[in-house]
């Protein structure tokens, strides 16, 4: 049989199985939720929520990390065109530093659900953490490869964040944000060492905090004063 976990390991996974389970329980507006940007040293964490028409198939939609940039851009437009609703939430670098990356991610997910043009009655969430909302929900490990709704949300979140990082590359040249999107690539770490952190760097993250200027009154000088003051 073909299902969420087929008896034949080589058979394709039914990407609508989780949605079908929720439909059988009486839910009809099912939102898939995912995020992009938990790991980078700079920029926001972006979450998306997508409600698809019941039973809709979107060929090519899968975990955004498995797709080329060109394919993600193509599917981004398809999802916006075909979905019943798409919502996006953003937790910027300041929020990440203020309440930690997990809480900023959950806050962005909540905002993405609130941004939907319709209110979902069930949430399918990639990962293991519930969104702080009074809506029935289910967390799914590796959900972006098991649920079409979550996979669609992963593409919306990834493309949205990548576009933001390309713009930040213009605002803060020299760091290479357009290429590595804020992740800890060797070229990015070298740029932080040379230039110091810029305003969108996450100051609580290793790889950044070591290069912050010393606090006022501190006798300890950091390894780099950088180009920006905070």
């Amino acid at each position: 049989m073909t299902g969420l976990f087929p008896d034949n390991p080589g058979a394709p996974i039914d990407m609508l199985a989780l949605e079908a389970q929720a439909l059988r329980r009486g839910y009809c507006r099912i939102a898939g939720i995912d995020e992009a940007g938990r790991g980078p040293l700079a920029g926001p964490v972006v979450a998306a929520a997508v409600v698809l028409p019941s039973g809709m198939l979107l060929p090519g939609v899968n975990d955004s990390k498995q797709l080329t940039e060109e394919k993600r851009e193509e599917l981004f437009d398809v999802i916006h065109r075909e979905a019943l609703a798409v919502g996006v939430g953003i937790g910027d670098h300041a929020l990440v530093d203020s309440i930690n990356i997990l809480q900023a991610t959950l806050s962005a997910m909540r905002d993405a659900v609130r941004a939907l043009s319709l209110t979902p009655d069930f949430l399918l969430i990639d990962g293991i953490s519930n969104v702080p909302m009074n809506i029935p929900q289910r967390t799914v490990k590796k959900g972006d490869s098991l649920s079409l709704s979550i996979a669609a949300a992963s593409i919306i979140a990834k493309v949205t964040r990548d576009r933001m990082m390309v713009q930040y590359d213009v605002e803060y040249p020299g760091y290479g944000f357009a290429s590595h999107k804020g992740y800890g690539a060797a070229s990015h770490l070298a740029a932080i060492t040379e230039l110091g952190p810029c305003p969108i760097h996450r100051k609580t993250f290793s790889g950044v905090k070591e290069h912050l200027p010393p606090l006022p009154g501190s006798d300890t000088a950091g390894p780099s004063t950088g180009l920006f003051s905070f």
Side-chain angles (χ1 to χ4, degrees):
M1 60 179 272
T2 298
L4 181 56
F5 302 105
D7 296 332
N8 177 5
I13 290 175
D14 181 357
M15 292 287 283
L16 291 176
L18 291 171
E19 286 83 349
Q21 290 174 13
L23 287 168
R24 287 195 296 270
R25 294 172 60 189
Y27 300 108
C28 58
R29 298 182 304 278
I30 302 160
I33 303 173
D34 202 358
E35 54 74 28
R38 287 187 65 165
L41 307 182
V45 59
V46 175
V50 175
V51 181
L52 297 174
S54 177
M56 168 172 278
L57 294 174
L58 291 175
V61 171
N62 202 338
D63 173 8
S64 64
K65 297 183 290 297
Q66 306 301 319
L67 303 173
T68 65
E69 181 176 358
E70 181 180 12
K71 189 64 174 177
R72 285 195 298 266
E73 289 282 348
E74 175 188 332
L75 290 172
F76 180 90
D77 293 333
V78 171
I79 294 164
H80 269 284
R81 183 171 64 247
E82 301 294 339
L84 296 177
V86 176
V88 171
I90 297 171
D92 66 13
H93 59 281
L95 185 67
V96 171
D97 285 333
S98 174
I99 63 176
N100 75 48
I101 184 60
L102 173 59
Q103 296 306 317
T105 299
L106 297 178
S107 174
M109 288 180 168
R110 179 182 60 206
D111 290 346
V113 174
R114 289 174 173 170
L116 291 168
S117 58
L118 56 80
T119 301
D121 57 8
F122 193 79
L123 309 179
L124 286 172
I125 306 157
D126 183 64
I128 60 173
S129 300
N130 288 322
V131 175
M133 304 188 79
N134 190 27
I135 298 175
Q137 52 193 271
R138 176 179 180 180
T139 59
V140 186
K141 291 182 180 180
K142 299 183 179 179
D144 46 12
S145 61
L146 298 173
S147 159
L148 191 68
S149 300
I150 295 176
S154 78
I155 292 169
I156 297 297
K158 173 67 173 168
V159 173
T160 300
R161 186 180 188 279
D162 282 357
R163 291 177 178 180
M164 295 178 70
M165 295 309 296
V166 169
Q167 181 57 44
Y168 279 133
D169 189 61
V170 176
E171 296 181 35
Y172 304 107
Y175 294 95
F177 291 138
S179 60
H180 54 64
K181 307 302 189 292
Y183 284 86
S187 61
H188 187 192
L189 295 173
I192 296 172
T193 299
E194 179 182 356
L195 303 174
C198 78
I200 66 163
H201 276 104
R202 299 174 180 178
K203 302 175 185 63
T204 55
F205 276 43
S206 295
V208 176
K209 61 185 178 182
E210 300 89 340
H211 299 279
L212 293 172
L215 295 173
S218 172
D219 294 331
T220 303
S224 171
T225 57
L227 298 177
F228 301 95
S229 58
F230 297 92

